[in-house]
Amino acid sequence: MQTYTSTTPFGRRALSLGMISSQVASKAMPKDATVHKWHVFQNIKEARIALGATDRALAILDALLSFHPETALYGDSELIVWPSNEQLIGRANGMSPATLRRHLANLVDCGLVIRRDSPNGKRFARKGYDGEIEQAYGFDISPIVARAAEFKELAEAVRAEKKAHRLVKERLTICRRDIVKMIEAGIEEGVPANWGRVQQAYQTIVGQIPRTAPRQVLEAIATDLEDLWSEVRDVLESFVKTKNLNANESQTERHIQNSKPDSKNESEHRLGKIEEASGSASDPDNVRSLPKRELPLGIVLDACPNLLWLVKGGSGIRNWREFLAAAEVARPSLGISPSAWEDARTAMGEQQAAITIAAIYQRQDQIKSAGGYLRNLTDRAKDGKFSVWPMVMALVRAKLDAAKVANSGVAEAADELETAGKVVRTEKRLEISDALRQNLDRRGPKS
């Protein structure tokens, strides 16, 4: 009959308050408690980081649980196992003895097992005459039963945190994708907004995302991104509603005009349509017929090469950001006020306004007032009657025409040079006497 249970470790191992706490919890365990040891072990694995246990320590705990013959652990049963180090090493995938001792100490420190050391430190069990175990020395796994509810709560908390972390990362991914695509749609569709600043705000928020971060940090960044998403979405929805409203009003007006079958009204309607087709209403149709995609940077630089003069160091313009910076330098040299520049960027978008500045800078010798010209184009852009495509294409055609003229002049000079060469070569082939040449000179040309 067992009358005393060891509570201190063997040898030079010191007793800690954590060990005493584990022993107290084990004594307070209800006698009718029953747990499935592998279910509890699964909870311990999921709550490993919160408990402070290492992965190797859990491999040893797995081996220790395998030495208990029963799958169900009861609070009123003997829960001590006494495998030797060699047996533990065999079931713990062959780790070294030093590693085994280190991670056994980790299990004890985490309160997952309790040492029940014998007087000489050996692990064994003493049986009575009836074959029942009277005294056992080894590792007490009763904390698996005593703390089963605690392990379950920790595992559920860890699972909930992992799920919340996964959800906030999904929010970030979807929000980033939506914002990028909405900015692209706004620029391609010509929605009036300062898209350059929107892109800058987006890059500022995204730049705060670390490689690894706790959920709370990602939650704050996701909130900022969702605020920006709402602003961009509101701009696009307002533009769509305004466009649909204008279309509905135009359709209603046409329906009223066509609802009267009088021949006179029909002739006036046809006349009105002809005047509309020949007047200013054709401008927006021409603008809408232009490509909706952005102008490639290479075409813009080919049409406006003078802008390259403003780049420091002569390194050229490699991307749209450097192009916008060059346009900012060209703007004051053209005498364009900051207010006119701001209005143009709001009406056209930052990139389109910069292309307009580059085109004006390319033709500055033909434009008397660059600021007035830009304001005129801004007003047309507000009415949806302006696109940078015709300006750039006109500059490209002018450049091609100039190249053709230069090439034709070179060709004419080459033809004249070739004709003169032929005359020289012909004269060299015709050899006449001096008397015949003098006779020909006296006769002169016939009248």
Side-chain angles (χ1 to χ4, degrees):
M1 180 178 179
Q2 183 172 350
T3 59
Y4 179 76
T5 302
S6 173
T7 59
T8 58
F10 171 77
R12 291 179 294 179
R13 301 187 189 99
L15 179 67
S16 66
L17 293 179
M19 295 179 186
I20 296 177
S21 176
S22 298
Q23 294 167 8
V24 170
S26 178
K27 286 182 179 181
M29 175 179 57
K31 297 301 180 181
D32 58 347
T34 304
V35 299
H36 192 294
K37 66 180 181 182
W38 299 121
H39 291 174
V40 179
F41 181 68
Q42 181 63 33
N43 292 334
I44 292 174
K45 286 199 298 182
E46 294 185 4
R48 174 179 66 85
I49 297 177
L51 292 170
T54 63
D55 53 350
R56 289 293 191 90
L58 293 186
I60 297 173
L61 179 61
D62 187 10
L64 286 173
L65 291 176
S66 69
F67 282 103
H68 194 281
E70 302 294 334
T71 301
L73 303 181
Y74 302 97
D76 57 352
S77 63
E78 191 69 27
L79 299 175
I80 297 177
V81 293
W82 53 91
S84 65
N85 283 355
E86 289 75 11
Q87 290 174 320
L88 276 177
I89 289 173
R91 293 197 186 183
N93 302 324
M95 66 178 61
S96 66
T99 303
L100 176 68
R101 289 191 294 270
R102 185 169 65 254
H103 292 292
L104 278 172
N106 178 254
L107 286 177
V108 174
D109 292 339
C110 294
L112 297 175
V113 297
I114 300 174
R115 286 185 179 275
R116 303 294 186 188
D117 289 344
S118 66
N120 61 359
K122 301 295 183 180
R123 302 178 200 131
F124 62 90
R126 183 180 296 114
K127 296 182 180 180
Y129 292 106
D130 56 355
E132 295 292 330
I133 296 175
E134 292 183 347
Q135 185 73 38
Y137 296 100
F139 295 104
D140 188 352
I141 58 174
S142 60
I144 300 297
V145 181
R147 302 176 61 187
E150 176 190 350
F151 297 149
K152 184 177 181 180
E153 291 178 0
L154 283 175
E156 289 176 351
V158 170
R159 285 193 291 266
E161 182 64 23
K162 287 183 178 179
K163 181 179 180 181
H165 195 272
R166 184 178 68 254
L167 291 177
V168 71
K169 291 179 70 174
E170 290 177 359
R171 283 171 56 198
L172 279 174
T173 301
I174 294 174
C175 199
R176 291 177 65 177
R177 182 186 67 198
D178 287 353
I179 291 175
V180 170
K181 290 185 178 294
M182 286 193 298
I183 290 175
E184 291 178 353
I187 294 174
E188 291 181 359
E189 298 295 335
V191 178
N194 195 340
W195 296 113
R197 292 186 180 180
V198 175
Q199 288 176 327
Q200 185 178 3
Y202 169 75
Q203 293 296 337
T204 301
I205 297 174
V206 172
Q208 299 174 0
I209 302 177
R211 186 178 296 275
T212 57
R215 176 182 57 83
Q216 292 77 9
V217 175
L218 297 181
E219 288 279 0
I221 297 175
T223 301
D224 294 340
L225 274 178
E226 287 174 349
D227 292 341
L228 182 62
W229 180 92
S230 299
E231 295 177 5
V232 177
R233 186 74 179 183
D234 290 343
V235 171
L236 295 181
E237 288 182 354
S238 299
F239 180 76
V240 170
K241 290 178 181 178
T242 304
K243 194 172 182 180
N244 291 339
L245 181 62
N246 294 337
N248 291 336
E249 291 177 354
S250 177
Q251 183 177 1
T252 304
E253 183 178 356
R254 289 195 299 269
H255 177 71
I256 293 174
Q257 289 176 350
N258 293 334
S259 62
K260 298 180 181 180
D262 186 78
S263 60
K264 180 178 180 181
N265 290 339
E266 288 180 358
S267 63
E268 291 177 354
H269 177 62
R270 287 195 297 268
L271 180 60
K273 288 185 68 175
I274 294 172
E275 292 176 354
E276 181 182 0
S278 60
S280 60
S282 61
D283 291 336
D285 293 335
N286 293 334
V287 172
R288 284 194 295 269
S289 65
L290 293 171
K292 296 298 182 183
R293 64 183 184 277
E294 293 182 4
L295 273 166
L297 180 60
I299 293 179
V300 177
L301 293 178
D302 189 53
C304 310
N306 292 353
L307 198 68
L308 298 173
W309 300 345
L310 304 177
V311 180
K312 292 183 179 180
S315 59
I317 296 176
R318 295 165 293 185
N319 50 51
W320 283 112
R321 181 171 55 82
E322 295 180 357
F323 182 84
L324 296 176
E328 289 281 0
V329 177
R331 193 261 315 161
S333 65
L334 292 171
I336 297 174
S337 64
S339 61
W341 172 233
E342 184 65 27
D343 291 343
R345 290 195 297 182
T346 302
M348 305 176 187
E350 192 167 17
Q351 185 171 314
Q352 305 296 317
I355 296 174
T356 305
I357 290 291
I360 295 175
Y361 189 78
Q362 184 69 27
R363 299 175 50 214
Q364 58 181 320
D365 56 339
Q366 305 173 13
I367 300 174
K368 294 182 179 180
S369 175
Y373 184 54
L374 180 62
R375 287 191 181 276
N376 183 26
L377 296 180
T378 301
D379 293 338
R380 294 181 60 191
K382 291 178 181 178
D383 297 334
K385 300 179 180 179
F386 172 72
S387 171
V388 295
W389 276 85
M391 294 182 67
V392 174
M393 292 299 103
L395 291 172
V396 171
R397 283 195 298 271
K399 185 177 180 180
L400 293 176
D401 293 341
K404 289 180 181 179
V405 172
N407 292 335
S408 63
V410 172
E412 291 178 359
D415 292 341
E416 292 179 358
L417 183 60
E418 185 178 0
T419 302
K422 289 181 179 179
V423 171
V424 172
R425 289 193 297 271
T426 303
E427 288 182 352
K428 286 182 179 180
R429 287 197 302 267
L430 296 175
E431 296 181 359
I432 59 177
S433 63
D434 294 339
L436 179 58
R437 188 183 300 276
Q438 291 176 3
N439 188 19
L440 291 173
D441 291 340
R442 283 197 301 269
R443 290 183 180 181
K446 295 183 179 179
S447 59

